[in-house]
């Protein structure tokens, strides 16, 4: 990796509510189920798919955020954003994952 900041980052992928890529709505991801991770996705794009270390800039009310893992070296990287060819969704980000970015998702509490 070229940027020291990227070495120990937790990386996130932001998807639509239906589990589709924001920049290519035709691409549907294999979502994780329970403790089972999603299937590996190999991007057909020359530079791969983009991942971010801070999802706040890309969040909209209904978007979903997932913690991801990638294999190999990033194709392109900048501080806080990388493009990787082989990626899979590990789990949906929790409120604890997102709290440090000032993202608070509402949930329905049943009493």
């Amino acid at each position: 990796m070229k940027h020291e900041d990227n070495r120990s980052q937790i990386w996130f992928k932001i998807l639509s509510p239906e589990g589709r890529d924001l920049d290519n709505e035709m691409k549907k991801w294999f979502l994780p189920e329970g403790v089972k991770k999603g299937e590996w996705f190999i991007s057909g794009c020359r530079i791969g798919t983009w991942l971010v270390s801070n999802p706040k800039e890309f969040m909209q009310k209904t978007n979903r955020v997932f913690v991801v893992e990638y294999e190999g070296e990033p194709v392109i990287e900048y501080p806080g954003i990388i493009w990787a060819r082989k990626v899979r969704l590990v789990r949906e980000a929790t409120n604890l994952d997102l709290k440090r970015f000032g993202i608070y998702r509402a949930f329905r509490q049943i009493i």
Side-chain angles (χ1 to χ4, degrees), residues 1-9 11 47-52 70 72-84:
M1 290 190 154
K2 298 173 192 159
H3 294 279
E4 278 299 313
D5 299 353
N6 292 343
R7 287 191 187 275
S8 60
Q9 290 291 334
W11 294 99
I47 62 171
T49 190
W50 59 276
L51 308 173
V52 296
Y70 65 91
E73 288 291 315
V75 177
I76 297 174
E77 62 178 306
Y78 294 104
I81 188 167
I82 62 173
W83 284 262

Side-chain angles (χ1 to χ4, degrees), residues 16-29:
S16 73
E18 300 80 30
R20 297 191 186 278
D21 219 324
L22 297 181
D23 57 348
N24 180 359
E25 292 186 11
M26 298 302 293
K27 183 177 12 174
K28 186 153 171 67
W29 286 73

Side-chain angles (χ1 to χ4, degrees), residues 16-104:
S16 73
E18 300 80 30
R20 297 191 186 278
D21 219 324
L22 297 181
D23 57 348
N24 180 359
E25 292 186 11
M26 298 302 293
K27 183 177 12 174
K28 186 153 171 67
W29 286 73
F30 295 103
L31 302 179
E33 295 179 15
V35 295
K36 184 180 176 195
K37 299 175 183 179
E39 294 180 30
W40 285 103
F41 171 78
I42 299 174
S43 177
C45 181
R46 190 170 45 102
I47 62 171
T49 190
W50 59 276
L51 308 173
V52 296
S53 62
N54 181 350
K56 187 171 185 167
E57 298 174 36
F58 304 95
M59 284 298 295
Q60 292 181 359
K61 187 177 181 178
T62 59
N63 287 351
R64 297 173 71 185
V65 181
F66 290 87
V67 173
V68 299
E69 63 184 7
Y70 65 91
E71 210 170 74
E73 288 291 315
V75 177
I76 297 174
E77 62 178 306
Y78 294 104
I81 188 167
I82 62 173
W83 284 262
R85 297 244 330 129
K86 189 173 181 181
V87 177
R88 74 172 160 184
L89 306 176
V90 175
R91 62 180 169 78
E92 193 153 3
T94 64
N95 285 336
L96 188 58
D97 292 324
L98 302 174
K99 181 180 178 181
R100 65 185 168 133
F101 304 112
I103 300 171
Y104 302 97

